[in-house]
Amino acid sequence: MHEASITQPITSNALVRPPQSYGRRALKRFLKRRLAVIGLVFLVLMAAVVLLGPMLSHYAFDEQDFEIIGEPGAITGAHWLGTDELGRDALTRLMYGGRISLCVGLAGAVLSTIVGTLVGAASGFYRGWTDTILMRFTDVMMSIPTLPMILLLSGMFRPEPWLLVVIVGVLIWMGTARLVRSQFLSLREREFVEAARALGAGNLRLMFRHILPNAVGPITVAATLAVGSAIMLESALSFLGFGIQPPVPTWGNMLNSASSWITVAPWLAFPPGLCILVTVLSVNFLGDGLRDALEPRD
């Protein structure tokens, strides 16, 4: 007598896992980019140091020790990075200067992202003569050398931090505008936009409620990369003497002051230069990681 083999059907619920959300999948892709994670960790630590460091320091950024004034002081237990030629603690000035440089870079990038998003959204959505005028204006702005123009504007006006933010922001928005324009040209013909238009949605609602949220990923990547460009521009201006003026420290003007003593006190030049280099590299690594996470190619 043969025993009948009984096979139980395997339900699909036991094998098929529920689909992951877009955010969870993007996070998993981002965490696989080691350099991007390292860059993010460094930027978080740098932000904590420049925000909390000056409050925990025993010195003010412009406090002078008149007993050692005249030439840079060596590294000691009281001054971990030595002192400059005016007897000011170099570590305190480095942390405070990082606060200025990072704030100017971040605010300039935010402003450039806003301007570029508005120009690109209007150009890609309305098309026609609006697109022609805005894109020709963008081409003209891209043809102007950025650094010489910023030097000219900084030389004409007093280089306050807020003015540097405005100058940097209005001169680096063109790449974001082109990116947003391409996204709007692609998304405006999609079915969900046509459905919203059929339901009576106006142009502004279509642009900022339906299309813009679907372009947040590329805009976020562009904004991240703009931070590095803004930090480099601010540091270059301060190094050349057209940015924030002493006694207020930034990494750029600290590097400028230390260049006169590079052979005598190299410990004054290396920290601000290294901070600029590593911060910009970390921002670029973070931007690359976000691009791979938010815009997967596979």
Side-chain angles (χ1 to χ4, degrees):
M1 185 176 190
H2 299 284
E3 296 182 357
S5 60
I6 302 175
T7 59
Q8 296 181 351
I10 300 177
T11 61
S12 60
N13 293 332
L15 295 178
V16 179
R17 296 181 179 179
Q20 292 182 336
S21 65
Y22 173 77
R24 186 180 294 274
R25 285 183 279 117
L27 178 61
K28 290 180 65 175
R29 287 193 294 265
F30 177 79
L31 293 178
K32 293 179 181 179
R33 273 60 181 182
R34 184 173 301 177
L35 288 177
V37 174
I38 294 174
L40 177 60
V41 171
F42 175 83
L43 291 174
V44 171
L45 293 177
M46 177 63 73
V49 168
V50 300
L51 289 176
L52 301 178
M55 295 186 291
L56 301 177
S57 176
H58 299 292
Y59 309 97
F61 72 88
D62 56 352
E63 181 180 347
Q64 295 178 271
D65 187 347
F66 292 100
E67 295 182 358
I68 55 176
I69 198 171
E71 61 181 17
I75 298 175
T76 63
H79 302 284
W80 291 1
L81 292 181
T83 57
D84 63 8
E85 69 278 8
L86 298 178
R88 299 172 297 192
D89 182 65
L91 178 59
T92 301
R93 291 180 61 79
L94 183 71
M95 293 186 295
Y96 193 90
R99 181 185 297 181
I100 302 295
S101 295
L102 292 180
C103 286
V104 170
L106 182 60
V110 170
L111 179 60
S112 72
T113 302
I114 293 174
V115 174
T117 299
L118 293 177
V119 173
S123 178
F125 183 83
Y126 290 106
R127 299 188 298 184
W129 63 267
T130 302
D131 181 31
T132 301
I133 293 175
L134 291 178
M135 284 300 101
R136 296 298 77 76
F137 176 68
T138 302
D139 293 339
V140 171
M141 292 297 296
M142 293 186 70
S143 67
I144 300 175
T146 303
L147 185 57
M149 177 58 68
I150 293 180
L151 289 174
L152 175 62
L153 294 176
S154 299
M156 294 172 58
F157 303 101
R158 182 177 176 85
E160 296 289 341
W162 67 268
L163 181 58
L164 276 183
V165 169
V166 173
I167 292 175
V168 170
V170 300
L171 290 178
I172 63 172
W173 54 267
M174 291 77 73
T176 302
R178 285 183 168 275
L179 176 64
V180 174
R181 173 183 177 270
S182 66
Q183 292 292 316
F184 268 67
L185 286 174
S186 173
L187 293 171
R188 74 184 304 275
E189 305 298 336
R190 300 284 292 274
E191 291 81 2
F192 68 91
V193 178
E194 294 296 334
R197 184 181 287 111
L199 292 175
N203 288 337
L204 292 180
R205 183 177 179 85
L206 289 173
M207 291 171 62
F208 297 106
R209 182 66 184 272
H210 297 281
I211 300 180
L212 185 60
N214 290 278
V216 166
I219 294 174
T220 302
V221 175
T224 304
L225 297 176
V227 174
S229 300
I231 292 175
M232 284 293 295
L233 285 174
E234 186 280 325
S235 299
L237 284 175
S238 297
F239 178 77
L240 296 173
F242 289 89
I244 307 298
Q245 299 298 308
V248 178
T250 68
W251 288 340
N253 64 32
M254 287 183 65
L255 195 58
N256 182 23
S257 300
S259 62
S260 302
W261 305 91
I262 187 66
T263 58
V264 179
W267 57 86
L268 292 179
F270 288 149
L274 191 62
C275 285
I276 295 172
L277 173 63
V278 179
T279 299
V280 173
L281 282 177
S282 298
V283 170
N284 290 335
F285 288 150
L286 176 60
D288 290 340
L290 288 175
R291 179 177 57 201
D292 294 337
L294 298 176
E295 303 176 24
R297 297 176 177 82
D298 51 348

